[in-house]
Amino acid sequence: MSEPVVHITSLTLKYQHTPVLQDLNWVINRNENWLLRGSSGTGKTSLAKAIAGLVKFQGSIDIHFGPESKLPAVAHFVAGWYQFKDLEGQSNFYYQQRYNKQATETTATVQAELENYGEKHQLQFNEVEELLAALGFSDLIGSTLIQLSSGEHKKLQLVKALWFKPQLLILDQPYNGLDKLSRKNLNSLLEEITEDGTQLIIISNEVELPSTIHRFAEIREGQLIETSADEYTAEVYETAGKAVPAFLNEAPVSSSESIIRMIDVNISYGEKQVLKNINWEVKAGEKWLLQGHNGSGKSTLLSLITGDHPQAYANNFYLFGHKRGSGESIWEIKQRMGLISPELHWYFDPTATVRQSVISGFFDSSGLFCDPGYTKKAQADELISYFGLTEYRDMLMNQLPVGKQRLVLLARTIIKNPELLILDEPCQGLDQQQTQHFNRLVDELCKNGTTLIYVGHFESQLPDCIEKRILLENGEVKTVETILESI
């Protein structure tokens, strides 16, 4: 009998001085491909990083790579969070920077990033071209890293990992931000590399998986428990059944019957046209689902609405009943809306406390820079309790697992009970119970007349209140329809 590829014995690991994994044992034999599940914050990512040698731990992790394999003898970890640097080695970007022409001149292109990666690992560039085509990424080869959407960044992470093709590949939430076709194609690519000898550990609670995944486990109370394919014990979410805070039950004041109206809107970057003749109206109280494949123009469309894109002024575009550029400031626009997106999460101040981060939603700032007063503090504490975050209230954002960071930002998004909610992939990083709990809250808010634009690739994760759908394809409106006709 051959020795196991990974043999973990009595692994104990702390996250920010708090024990997460306790005397954990795990054996991964040759040719086994695993799915690791578990509720948010249980230690899945910490375990993955320990196997890849990226964090300190107590206990032992023995990895025995195949000496006869031609693949790199590496346990390669692909994070759920993609971070990149500009040409000067800096990574302190801000949220609106991707629309700044100067910023695009100081960040590398996708092609340069891949060429550097290929040179570092002695890879053949013709092999990556096939992967780019398979994931629908070929047209972005000339784009700069800062211009990419969250789904496109995820694809770039995956392209590099598949190109590298290590003996052990650990993927943390690989399906986040990917459209349905991309998820399907990714699974096919993962099946191909396992045939070539790569072993997989996938961290995900999704059900669409490569056919080569045949071992399942989850983390419960610091221990790894092997399960069956259908068995998954989601942790009962501690805030389930709590009443929505009373201050959110008031109907938001609508400033206009028409919240958004776009008439023949076009957005171009040089010769590349990103949005083409967009006509779309969102009336007060409507609940819309915005969909489209990665790169279809969703992020650019949302940036017009949030006031972050400078080309809004060059188009026939009305927001809250006023034509853009008629004298309103960006802060007057943002005061009427609540926003969450993967990009906002990337660029949010990691040194703010949980309470400061939630309160900052009143001021549309990244972090808190003033005394908000008693009432706002009390409302923040109500929401913090509602999301089950009271014990983390005074902790810094960067001391929390990513899933709990996302809950904090969700609370920040809704705290001022805005007229317009823009939720762009709001449940990335949340477990099933947290997703259901948040969507119940969205349904409650929308009963009061809140206008909603919801971006989501997983139809099983959508709130019930959605009424209409707009579908983008290659920067154009492909369909506008009621949600009942599209699901």
Side-chain angles (χ1 to χ4, degrees):
M1 182 176 178
S2 63
E3 61 186 355
V5 176
V6 180
H7 191 182
I8 301 176
T9 307
S10 300
L11 185 143
T12 296
L13 189 149
K14 296 181 179 180
Y15 183 85
Q16 299 294 340
H17 308 295
T18 301
V20 176
L21 306 176
Q22 299 265 20
D23 294 321
L24 181 145
N25 300 296
W26 192 12
V27 174
I28 300 177
N29 294 308
R30 203 160 303 282
N31 299 319
E32 290 182 347
N33 299 301
W34 286 77
L35 175 71
L36 180 59
R37 299 178 285 202
S39 300
S40 175
T42 53
K44 304 183 297 296
T45 297
S46 296
L47 176 57
K49 288 182 176 180
I51 296 172
L54 300 176
V55 295
K56 295 180 179 180
F57 57 87
Q58 294 177 316
S60 65
I61 299 179
D62 297 317
I63 301 180
H64 305 282
F65 295 110
E68 299 179 358
S69 175
K70 297 180 180 179
L71 304 181
V74 175
H76 184 62
F77 173 71
V78 179
W81 191 289
Y82 184 77
Q83 293 180 312
F84 62 94
K85 296 181 179 180
D86 63 19
L87 298 176
E88 297 178 351
Q90 301 298 314
S91 57
N92 55 334
F93 303 107
Y94 57 89
Y95 180 57
Q96 294 89 354
Q97 195 166 355
R98 61 188 298 198
Y99 308 112
N100 184 322
K101 185 176 185 296
Q102 184 177 1
T104 64
E105 295 172 350
T106 59
T107 51
T109 64
V110 170
Q111 179 157 348
E113 176 80 0
L114 291 173
E115 287 175 347
N116 291 336
Y117 188 81
E119 182 178 351
K120 177 181 177 181
H121 296 289
Q122 299 180 324
L123 304 172
Q124 299 299 315
F125 201 83
N126 64 306
E127 296 177 359
V128 79
E129 291 173 346
E130 297 175 7
L131 296 171
L132 293 170
L135 287 177
F137 206 69
S138 300
D139 291 343
L140 294 170
I141 196 77
S143 299
T144 61
L145 298 181
I146 202 168
Q147 290 177 307
L148 301 181
S149 67
S150 61
E152 291 163 349
H153 273 294
K154 174 59 69 176
K155 285 186 178 181
L156 181 57
Q157 280 183 294
L158 295 168
V159 163
K160 290 160 71 174
L162 292 164
W163 189 20
F164 183 47
K165 201 184 299 183
Q167 288 194 37
L168 180 60
L169 178 58
I170 309 170
L171 300 173
D172 191 0
Q173 308 297 342
Y175 304 103
N176 275 359
L178 297 187
D179 57 61
K180 187 173 183 179
L181 179 60
S182 296
R183 298 197 301 269
K184 179 181 178 181
N185 290 343
L186 172 61
N187 284 338
S188 296
L189 292 170
L190 291 173
E191 290 164 4
E192 289 179 14
I193 67 169
T194 56
E195 291 176 1
D196 292 336
T198 294
Q199 287 187 236
L200 297 175
I201 301 174
I202 295 179
I203 301 173
S204 177
N205 290 326
E206 304 305 332
V207 296
E208 301 174 27
L209 300 166
S211 61
T212 50
I213 294 291
H214 54 273
R215 302 299 296 273
F216 303 85
E218 62 180 281
I219 297 178
R220 304 177 199 162
E221 299 179 350
Q223 300 287 309
L224 186 132
I225 309 296
E226 187 169 354
T227 64
S228 66
D230 299 326
E231 181 186 0
Y232 173 47
T233 309
E235 186 177 68
V236 177
Y237 195 37
E238 62 186 37
T239 59
K242 279 193 173 183
V244 174
F247 71 91
L248 292 178
N249 286 325
E250 299 177 8
V253 179
S254 294
S255 55
S256 171
E257 181 179 341
S258 178
I259 302 298
I260 299 164
R261 187 157 65 100
M262 299 183 180
I263 305 170
D264 296 327
V265 167
N266 292 276
I267 299 293
S268 298
Y269 303 128
E271 297 181 356
K272 182 180 179 181
Q273 191 165 8
V274 181
L275 294 179
K276 308 170 187 175
N277 299 320
I278 301 294
N279 290 278
W280 184 31
E281 183 173 20
V282 176
K283 294 183 178 180
E286 291 184 337
K287 293 84 179 173
W288 283 84
L289 175 64
L290 170 60
Q291 288 188 313
H293 61 74
N294 299 127
S296 60
K298 301 187 302 297
S299 295
T300 302
L301 186 67
L302 292 180
S303 70
L304 292 173
I305 299 169
T306 59
D308 295 312
H309 203 298
Q311 291 191 42
Y313 300 103
N315 279 279
N316 198 2
F317 171 40
Y318 294 81
L319 196 57
F320 302 110
H322 300 284
K323 192 175 190 303
R324 282 306 314 274
S326 59
E328 79 287 4
S329 72
I330 188 172
W331 301 112
E332 289 173 325
I333 292 171
K334 289 183 178 295
Q335 184 59 35
R336 298 175 178 176
M337 64 177 69
L339 165 71
I340 191 169
S341 69
E343 291 82 4
L344 186 145
H345 192 169
W346 290 350
Y347 304 131
F348 197 81
D349 182 3
T351 64
T353 67
V354 167
R355 195 188 200 199
Q356 289 170 339
S357 299
V358 174
I359 295 173
S360 73
F362 284 114
F363 308 101
D364 304 296
S365 59
S366 179
L368 187 62
F369 307 100
C370 65
D371 184 351
Y374 174 81
T375 299
K376 288 181 171 60
K377 289 178 182 177
Q379 291 176 338
D381 289 342
E382 281 191 70
L383 265 183
I384 288 170
S385 173
Y386 181 79
F387 280 109
L389 296 166
T390 300
E391 65 180 292
Y392 309 102
R393 192 186 79 164
D394 298 317
M395 291 179 64
L396 303 182
M397 286 287 279
N398 59 12
Q399 294 178 328
L400 297 181
V402 171
K404 285 187 168 50
Q405 290 180 30
R406 182 55 63 99
L407 284 178
V408 174
L409 293 180
L410 289 171
R412 174 189 182 273
T413 301
I414 62 176
I415 192 167
K416 61 186 176 186
N417 197 15
E419 184 177 348
L420 171 64
L421 266 181
I422 301 176
L423 306 177
D424 184 0
E425 297 282 355
C427 297
Q428 279 189 17
L430 303 188
D431 60 43
Q432 295 172 1
Q433 293 294 324
Q434 290 170 332
T435 297
Q436 292 172 9
H437 182 64
F438 175 68
N439 282 336
R440 283 198 297 269
L441 174 57
V442 172
D443 288 333
E444 287 297 317
L445 292 177
C446 287
K447 287 180 182 178
N448 299 327
T450 300
T451 305
L452 174 68
I453 299 175
Y454 197 108
V455 181
H457 291 298
F458 292 89
E459 292 181 348
S460 61
Q461 296 181 354
L462 302 177
D464 294 333
C465 63
I466 292 175
E467 306 164 329
K468 299 184 176 184
R469 181 176 81 145
I470 178 170
L471 176 65
L472 298 186
E473 186 173 289
N474 298 322
E476 298 181 276
V477 176
K478 184 178 181 181
T479 56
V480 175
E481 56 194 350
T482 67
I483 197 69
L484 295 177
E485 294 175 347
S486 60
I487 293 180

